Amino acid sequence: MKIEAPTLDDRKMWEALYRGYADFYRVPMNDGMLDTVWGWLHDADHEVNGLVARDEDGALLGFTHYRPFARPLRASAGMFLDDVFVTPEAR
């Protein structure tokens, strides 16, 4: 298994996973929402970041979306984990 940032070529596989994630939480998903989140993941200036888990053949097994946040009292940064999803077969 390999963990790395999603590439532009991963769109279809990521989209299938993200739709599965939304279905699990019963959140309606549409193409515009998918386009927005996918765009955030590939915008270096946006706060949302992502990682994908890839099998030995390159297929996506799961993903996570996360974003840093400032912790002024500690003069440090933290990380907020927004989304985590793994295909049922890979759990």
Side-chain angles (χ1 to χ4, degrees):
M1 181 181 313
K2 188 174 185 181
I3 307 296
E4 60 189 4
T7 68
L8 293 174
D9 292 337
D10 292 328
R11 171 66 191 253
K12 283 189 176 234
M13 289 186 290
W14 171 87
E15 185 175 317
L17 290 173
Y18 202 57
R19 285 184 185 277
Y21 176 70
D23 289 346
F24 178 82
Y25 284 105
R26 297 184 178 139
V27 174
M29 184 61 49
N30 63 48
D31 291 342
M33 294 165 75
L34 291 164
D35 290 343
T36 296
V37 176
W38 185 250
W40 290 345
L41 294 173
H42 295 283
D43 180 352
D45 295 326
H46 198 277
E47 66 182 345
V48 173
N49 300 286
L51 294 169
V52 294
R54 194 180 299 282
D55 71 12
E56 61 276 350
D57 295 323
L60 297 190
L61 302 172
F63 68 84
T64 186
H65 301 146
Y66 64 94
R67 55 195 153 102
F69 64 92
R71 300 170 119 175
L73 188 58
R74 302 264 184 220
S76 66
M79 182 185 71
F80 186 83
L81 188 60
D82 285 292
D83 309 310
V84 176
F85 185 76
V86 177
T87 62
E89 303 79 28
R91 294 179 190 161

